[in-house]
Amino acid sequence: MKKISLVLASIVLFSCNNEKKDYLTISGTVVNSTEKTLTIENQTYNKKISIDKDGHFKDTLHLKNVEKLASYEENFYGITVGQNRTFSYVQNGFDLEINIEGDDFTFAGDGSQNTNYIKEKLEIGSKYMNIPEYFSLEKDAFNAKLLEAKTTFDNLLVKYNNLDPAFAKAEKENNAQLYSTLTDNYAEQ
């Protein structure tokens, strides 16, 4: 009977731990700055978080639940300290740690892979998003350049294999649409 009670207690504990939180925690450090406020915002949300004298901040945010959002894009937020800004993908249930030095924002913790994916995609994307250059290439060179970009972006999604499912699905669809549109537009020129 004791063993059955232990098994039931374990099941109850594990099932409670898998329930998604209805809030997001955010904490971190800002170094080499005299700024006193961090702002996290999108078109429908704005929260100012105090930065203490040692550069630390911590807060709990209550965002709309994912199920109530019109699209995954509502999970995109800007994070600003002074004149420095970055974009992030956040939602309830995440536990983020952000370390900021100048314009370098480093994300860690539960949910950070979404923002880290965005940051890396933007960095890599600058190499591949000179679209007018694509259309000046001969067909074989165009196809090679497009394949290189497609492979790079597809590999990035594989690298970040723990993205929010709605975000990952949308990114796959966006990538496919981009390649299709570029191919169609090249053929029409």
Side-chain angles (χ1 to χ4, degrees), residues 65-168:
N65 286 328
V66 172
E67 298 79 23
K68 296 179 181 176
L69 298 177
S71 79
Y72 77 98
E73 293 165 339
E74 290 185 53
N75 288 323
F76 287 102
Y77 289 79
I79 299 177
T80 307
V81 175
Q83 297 298 312
N84 299 311
R85 182 177 174 89
T86 194
F87 292 97
S88 62
Y89 183 91
V90 299
Q91 64 183 344
N92 289 334
F94 287 6
D95 184 15
L96 293 176
E97 181 178 328
I98 307 171
N99 292 302
I100 305 163
E101 183 168 5
D103 63 356
D104 182 30
F105 290 69
T106 306
F107 290 79
D110 293 340
S112 63
Q113 68 279 3
N114 298 286
T115 297
N116 290 331
Y117 166 82
I118 292 167
K119 285 178 59 177
E120 191 167 344
K121 184 175 182 181
L122 289 172
E123 289 168 10
I124 290 171
S126 64
K127 176 181 177 186
Y128 293 103
M129 289 298 109
N130 187 1
I131 303 301
E133 175 188 302
Y134 283 47
F135 295 107
S136 67
L137 299 172
E138 295 296 322
K139 184 157 180 62
D140 288 343
F142 169 82
N143 288 334
K145 185 81 168 169
L146 193 59
L147 179 60
E148 179 186 352
K150 181 181 183 329
T151 301
T152 299
F153 289 124
D154 289 348
N155 286 342
L156 190 61
L157 277 170
V158 170
K159 176 181 176 181
Y160 289 94
N161 61 0
N162 197 23
L163 296 176
D164 172 69
F167 180 46

Side-chain angles (χ1 to χ4, degrees), residues 5 13 18 20 33 47 52 55 61 116 119 124 141 145-147 152 159-160 162 169 173 175 177:
S5 297
L13 283 174
N18 288 332
K20 189 172 180 181
S33 176
K47 173 86 181 223
D52 71 20
L61 312 178
N116 290 331
K119 285 178 59 177
I124 290 171
K145 185 81 168 169
L146 193 59
L147 179 60
T152 299
K159 176 181 176 181
Y160 289 94
N162 197 23
K169 180 179 183 244
E173 291 170 359
N175 287 348
Q177 181 64 44

Side-chain angles (χ1 to χ4, degrees), residues 8-68:
L8 288 175
S10 296
I11 291 171
V12 169
L13 283 174
F14 284 119
S15 65
C16 290
N17 287 339
N18 288 332
E19 195 171 307
K20 189 172 180 181
K21 301 180 287 187
D22 66 349
Y23 59 90
L24 143 75
T25 57
I26 184 171
S27 63
T29 306
V30 179
V31 297
N32 299 326
S33 176
T34 58
E35 297 294 334
K36 301 296 179 204
T37 305
L38 175 143
T39 303
I40 181 165
E41 63 188 335
N42 68 10
Q43 292 180 346
T44 61
Y45 184 88
N46 184 298
K47 173 86 181 223
K48 297 197 180 308
I49 301 171
S50 295
I51 302 170
D52 71 20
K53 63 181 175 53
D54 297 321
H56 298 100
F57 61 90
K58 183 173 184 164
D59 208 335
T60 301
L61 312 178
H62 296 274
L63 306 175
K64 279 186 183 177
N65 286 328
V66 172
E67 298 79 23
K68 296 179 181 176

